Amino acid sequence: IGERDTDSVFRRSFSALNLSVLAARDNQVPFLTQNEFDTFVDRVLTYLADEKDTRGLERGKGWIHAPAHTADVLKFLARNPKLSPTQQSRLLGAVAAKAAAVGHTFVWGEDERLAQVVRSLARRQDFDAAAFNGWIEPLGPTARQLWANGPAVDPDRFAAVQNMKSILRAAFTALSADTDLPAEAERARLKILKIVSGM
């Protein structure tokens, strides 16, 4: 972990993709204890934060896609009844942190995969709307602050803002395509629209 531009990332990234199958399975036929689930969440979040190789598709090697594969795990963990309100907040924070940490704009669909984490959380029966609002509301002012010095924009900050904007747009689209949104999810969808419109 921590390497960039080597083939070691394939094992890590595709291990995450395989773990998404286990996370999905526990939603269908629960087999993880609460302690095992909590450890699962902790370790996936640690991996998302620590993985530095964020390449998408590389000519001659194929898909690498670690952020997208890790988002797939988080998407299913976000749907699990064992997820606590505190963990909901941690997942949202992890999405924003990854958007800021990659140092470039997403170009291989990572934003759409990370958006599915947001969508899955918004659709929960115990969705923590207060935590969601506390997470999303600062994103508008942060985006506007990017342009405080006119055209003198920091490229890293631009990438972070643009990535979050792309994630929110994708989350809004995904929620808009759902025909059975719970009331709290509909409020979250409208909140996303309001924030993105001001970014």
Side-chain angles (χ1 to χ4, degrees):
I1 195 76
E3 291 185 350
R4 299 174 188 260
D5 302 322
T6 71
D7 287 350
S8 69
V9 68
F10 284 99
R11 178 175 293 179
R12 299 191 300 272
S13 178
F14 283 87
S15 292
L17 187 60
N18 284 324
L19 287 172
S20 72
V21 178
L22 294 180
R25 182 64 175 167
D26 191 57
N27 292 340
Q28 297 170 341
V29 183
F31 64 92
L32 294 171
T33 66
Q34 184 66 54
N35 184 62
E36 289 169 337
F37 177 82
D38 292 342
T39 300
F40 196 173
V41 172
D42 290 344
R43 292 184 178 177
V44 172
L45 291 176
T46 296
Y47 173 62
L48 182 68
D50 289 352
E51 180 58 75
K52 306 305 180 189
D53 196 327
T54 57
R55 289 174 290 168
L57 179 64
E58 183 160 305
R59 194 180 303 277
K61 292 191 176 181
W63 287 103
I64 300 171
H65 235 199
H69 291 170
T70 314
D72 291 346
V73 189
L74 293 176
K75 169 184 70 177
F76 291 117
L77 293 175
R79 298 174 185 176
N80 197 299
K82 290 189 279 284
L83 191 79
S84 71
T86 299
Q87 289 168 328
Q88 291 184 44
S89 183
R90 290 179 64 201
L91 264 61
L92 290 170
V95 167
K98 198 62 184 182
V102 293
H104 57 79
T105 54
F106 291 133
V107 295
W108 297 110
E110 300 93 341
D111 50 345
E112 295 175 5
R113 305 278 270 276
L114 288 163
Q116 289 298 324
V117 181
V118 179
R119 173 179 174 258
S120 295
L121 290 170
R123 290 185 55 86
R124 291 180 62 87
Q125 290 185 349
D126 64 346
F127 173 53
D128 190 341
F132 176 80
N133 290 331
W135 171 75
I136 198 171
E137 285 174 357
L139 299 178
T142 298
R144 291 189 290 275
Q145 183 62 33
L146 176 67
W147 302 99
N149 296 321
V153 172
D154 180 285
D156 289 336
R157 288 184 62 207
F158 176 85
V161 168
Q162 190 64 32
N163 285 340
M164 273 312 308
K165 190 185 299 186
S166 296
I167 290 167
L168 292 177
R169 285 174 176 160
F172 175 79
T173 301
L175 288 167
S176 296
D178 288 337
T179 58
D180 59 342
L181 281 184
E184 287 289 355
E186 173 61 13
R187 282 190 277 273
R189 186 184 74 89
L190 295 175
K191 186 74 170 185
I192 292 170
L193 178 61
K194 179 181 178 181
I195 296 299
V196 170
S197 297
M199 291 179 81

